[in-house]
Each structure stands twice: as structure tokens, then as C-alpha cells.
Amino acid sequence: MRKLPANKAYLVFYAFDLVLLIVVAVFLLPFSKNNNVQKSKKAAFIDPEQLKEVTEIRILDKNAKCRVSMYRMDGKWMGTDSFSNDSLYWPADDRTVENFLSEMSRECLWTKKASNVTSWKKLGVDADNAVEVDLRIDSKTAASLFFGYADDLNGEIYFRTSKESTVWQAKTAVENFIYEKTTSFWADPYLIPLCIRNEGERIDSGLRRGELAYIKPAEHIKPVKILKKAFDSGFTGVYSFYEKDDQIVVIPEFSGSDYAELISYRYTISKWTYEKFIKQLEESK
């Protein structure tokens, strides 16, 4: 058998190595591309079929140092918060709560942004910076999410679930309900809460409260006025009004059901609103 000259043998050897490297590179190319492609899926934060079963909502914003808790009672929503150490209960704005739950159950595109715990702080989904949202059904967690920083450029937010370390990004209107929202955002805005009135009484002057208040008048401070109102719905309300600087603090009490009697909150109104409200209550006696 004839042998190749040494220089030609080397050429063949190197050529074979080159071809082998090309084959391996071509074979691995799809895998390399797949690793760089961001994975995505369409999903909702909570199964829409569970929506009507949700009995409790908790929103914890550690940056704002506030926790809002809302409970479904007799088909209505009642709220409390950490500012009052869960001692004051206000009627929630049912429409706002239902719109929030609707957004939580709306399917949107989830794009994977990171897969390890070390990325949490940078994206704001760590326990110290995230807004934590828990939806519960009879004390059992149905959905638990940590919402982080928002990307204002494309309207998307980072988030993760409590069940995995993966950080996702999605475009969702949920951010309109959880970022920089005070407890007043969730409370019924009317001086006569919708849950206290029947359908006929829902058409009134539409007077609205100011911010929820957490002050308790000293025992020696007497209200400037107390008015009692019996509503067509069967509920009764007693309104106590206190002067505070250039505003009026209102402390309402209701009776007629377990839900109504649980309401125990305070809010501020302007003196102009106070005069209008007093006139409305006195004329409707």
C-alpha cells in the first residue's frame, strides 16, 4: 500500500478536523439560538373560573408601608388596612374591586426575563420591594404574585409567582390598581355608601368623601352636629361631624345587617360638602 507523503497526511488530518468542527457547529447552532430566544406564554394571574369564588384580597406594598385587606361579605366587599391595625372597616368600592379581579383573570402574554433568584432585586420582585398580591378562597391561596418595577417605555411590568423563581414581564392593566394607591382608592367614594342604599336611592346628589382618616376625637371633643337617617333600604345611618382645621371629619355608623354594623371608618370632607350634605339629610327626613 502506498503511503501519503508526510505533508499531505497533515493536510488531510487538518481538513478532516475542520470538516468535523463545521458539522458540530451546525448541529449545535439551533440549540444556541434557542437559548437566546425569550420564552413566552399566554396566561392569566388567576383562573377566570375561580373569580367568583375569591373571598379575600390582600395587597401588601412595603414601599408604601401599607397592607390593604378586602373580604367578600353578603355579596359585597368590605375593606380594612394596616394603617388602622385592621381595626377600622370601610365599605369597598365594588366596581373597583371587580374591575381589579377582572384584570387579574385576563389572559396576557408572559415573556420570560430571568430564571434565578439573583435577578429578583434588580427587577423589583424581591420581598423587600415588590407589591405582593394574594387572592384567597376560604383562607386558601388561589394566586400569589410579586409585582416589581414597571417599564414605562412599553407599559409592561415585571412579576413572579410564589411557586417559581422565574421572573416574567407582561403588559397588563393590573398596574393601575396596585402601584401608589392609597386605601381611599379602594373605599366606596360616596357619603352615603352604595351598599347602604337601595336602587332608588342610588340617584342622589353624588356627594363624595375626601381621604380616609385615622384620627379619633378625644372624649372631651363633642361633634358639631349629629344627624340620623333612615334609608328606604331598611338601613339606618348616624353621622357625627367634627371640625378639624379647615375640614370636617365624618364618623358614620350604620345598622340593619351584620355587614352594615361592621362599618366603622372616618373620612374628611370640605366645609362646602358638609353644608350640602347636611341640607340633603335634613330635607330627606
Side-chain angles (χ1 to χ4, degrees), residues 45 59 61 99-100 103-104 108 131 133 147-159 169-181 185-186:
F45 300 119
I59 302 175
D61 186 346
N99 286 342
F100 167 67
E103 288 300 328
M104 289 290 288
C108 57
V131 175
V133 175
F147 291 94
Y149 299 132
D151 186 343
D152 295 331
L153 189 62
N154 57 20
E156 296 185 327
I157 57 177
Y158 298 110
F159 66 94
Q169 188 179 36
K171 189 170 186 177
T172 169
V174 167
E175 66 170 310
N176 297 328
F177 295 88
I178 62 172
Y179 292 131
E180 300 177 359
K181 299 301 181 187
F185 171 81
W186 295 102

Side-chain angles (χ1 to χ4, degrees), residues 12-248:
V12 171
F13 178 79
Y14 287 127
F16 178 81
D17 281 354
L18 182 61
V19 171
L20 184 60
L21 285 173
I22 293 173
V23 170
V24 171
V26 171
F27 177 78
L28 293 177
L29 187 58
F31 295 94
S32 176
K33 287 183 177 180
N34 286 338
N35 286 334
N36 293 326
V37 173
Q38 293 178 338
K39 296 181 180 179
S40 61
K41 64 179 180 179
K42 282 225 169 187
F45 300 119
I46 185 172
D47 187 339
E49 294 183 1
Q50 293 182 297
L51 212 55
K52 292 184 179 180
E53 299 177 14
V54 173
T55 56
E56 183 180 351
I57 300 169
R58 290 190 181 185
I59 302 175
L60 173 60
D61 186 346
K62 288 192 175 179
N63 287 320
K65 297 180 180 179
C66 176
R67 183 193 69 253
V68 173
S69 302
M70 290 173 283
Y71 307 89
R72 197 195 297 267
M73 297 180 60
D74 299 331
K76 308 177 187 70
W77 286 96
M78 176 77 72
T80 187
D81 54 77
S82 58
F83 288 146
S84 71
N85 293 320
D86 300 331
S87 63
L88 299 180
Y89 288 85
W90 31 266
D93 184 348
D94 286 345
R95 179 176 296 180
T96 299
V97 175
E98 294 300 335
N99 286 342
F100 167 67
L101 289 175
S102 177
E103 288 300 328
M104 289 290 288
S105 67
R106 194 183 302 279
E107 192 177 74
C108 57
L109 183 66
W110 294 19
T111 302
K112 183 178 178 180
K113 302 303 293 185
S115 59
N116 50 60
V117 176
T118 56
S119 65
W120 287 5
K121 188 175 182 64
K122 182 174 111 176
L123 300 177
V125 298
D126 57 307
D128 293 331
N129 293 289
V131 175
E132 185 176 350
V133 175
D134 289 324
L135 305 182
R136 301 184 180 188
I137 299 174
D138 298 330
S139 299
K140 295 182 180 179
T141 300
S144 181
L145 298 110
F146 296 79
F147 291 94
Y149 299 132
D151 186 343
D152 295 331
L153 189 62
N154 57 20
E156 296 185 327
I157 57 177
Y158 298 110
F159 66 94
R160 66 178 174 88
T161 71
S162 61
K163 296 180 179 180
E164 58 182 1
S165 61
T166 302
V167 180
W168 302 89
Q169 188 179 36
K171 189 170 186 177
T172 169
V174 167
E175 66 170 310
N176 297 328
F177 295 88
I178 62 172
Y179 292 131
E180 300 177 359
K181 299 301 181 187
T182 64
T183 51
S184 295
F185 171 81
W186 295 102
D188 184 296
Y190 297 102
L191 300 190
I192 303 176
L194 294 179
C195 61
I196 295 299
R197 309 181 232 165
N198 62 22
E199 290 298 327
E201 290 172 319
R202 288 178 185 269
I203 303 173
D204 69 345
S205 59
L207 291 174
R208 294 175 176 244
R209 56 161 176 79
E211 292 292 307
L212 297 187
Y214 297 91
I215 56 176
K216 182 178 180 180
E219 291 184 6
H220 69 278
I221 297 178
K222 303 301 180 184
V224 295
K225 202 171 192 66
I226 298 177
L227 281 176
K228 186 175 182 179
K229 162 72 176 172
F231 299 99
D232 294 342
S233 58
F235 295 105
T236 299
V238 177
Y239 287 85
S240 299
F241 302 92
Y242 296 82
E243 281 191 288
K244 172 75 173 169
D245 302 326
D246 60 343
Q247 292 185 315
I248 301 293

